[in-house]
Amino acid sequence: MRAFLPLAVLALAACSSQEPAEQESADDFASRIGGSGEGAALDPSQPDPNAPNVAVEAPPAQADVTTLQQLGDVGGVNLGPREGGCTFMVGEQEMIIAAGMRDKSLPGKAVVRVGDTLVMTDATTGGLDAVKSGTNFEGEGFTVSVAPAAGEGQTRPANVTVTDAAGKSQSYSGNWICA
């Protein structure tokens, strides 16, 4: 035991004589792991992974409602009773999920992400048929107009135009996929 104690003291002394490692900044760490540090802007097409996955009725106050973001986790979103629905995809990114009942007297519903917030929208009456054929979804301060190509195919090219209350609009092209 007496021989072990001096060796342990020497080992500790050797460790303490080395220069301390340089501290890595948060931005360096973030860029090393592929994230964005405080100094880097978030990609607006990607949702904030820490944003809640439940939908609200109104977008955040300063959000540009014409800029749709990838939906991300929608596990907590309640589109109500539904007998089918559609998803608007831009590339591999889900941008809108809509649903409806077969009863044409009922409106459809859809969810979009704006300003890192999932926001509910409502269609006029027409049920699932209106959702599948393309309709307007109204949100607080904005309208989402879905215009798929003619036909009955499960997947059809579509254009979506989002217009805010002041008339500013932005268009997206992708696929309207219905089940």
Side-chain angles (χ1 to χ4, degrees):
M1 179 80 153
R2 289 183 184 220
F4 178 75
L5 188 58
L7 287 175
V9 170
L10 285 174
L12 286 173
C15 287
S16 65
S17 68
Q18 294 176 354
E19 290 184 28
E22 187 176 317
Q23 186 83 18
E24 183 176 43
S25 76
D27 285 341
D28 291 340
F29 175 75
S31 66
R32 182 170 57 83
I33 64 168
S36 62
E38 289 181 29
L42 290 175
D43 180 351
S45 68
Q46 300 300 314
D48 177 352
N50 298 317
N53 66 352
V54 294
V56 297
E57 295 300 317
Q62 301 304 315
D64 178 0
V65 294
T66 65
T67 302
L68 296 181
Q69 296 170 290
Q70 181 179 358
L71 287 174
D73 180 6
V74 293
V77 173
N78 181 3
L79 290 170
R82 56 191 175 272
E83 295 175 316
C86 301
T87 302
F88 179 65
M89 302 282 295
V90 175
E92 297 295 316
Q93 296 183 348
E94 293 177 319
M95 306 299 276
I96 301 169
I97 293 178
M101 297 291 288
R102 295 197 191 287
D103 183 343
K104 292 180 190 266
S105 67
L106 297 174
K109 290 194 170 288
V111 64
V112 296
R113 184 180 294 272
V114 293
D116 285 331
T117 301
L118 291 169
V119 180
M120 293 300 297
T121 62
D122 293 311
T124 57
T125 58
L128 183 58
D129 286 344
V131 169
K132 286 183 173 183
S133 65
T135 190
N136 292 334
F137 295 94
E138 300 287 333
E140 190 171 306
F142 68 104
T143 301
V144 178
S145 299
V146 179
E152 298 296 320
Q154 183 177 3
T155 300
R156 295 177 286 156
N159 292 314
V160 168
T161 302
V162 184
T163 307
D164 69 12
K168 176 184 169 193
S169 66
Q170 185 164 331
S171 295
Y172 301 85
S173 294
N175 288 305
W176 192 235
I177 304 166
C178 299

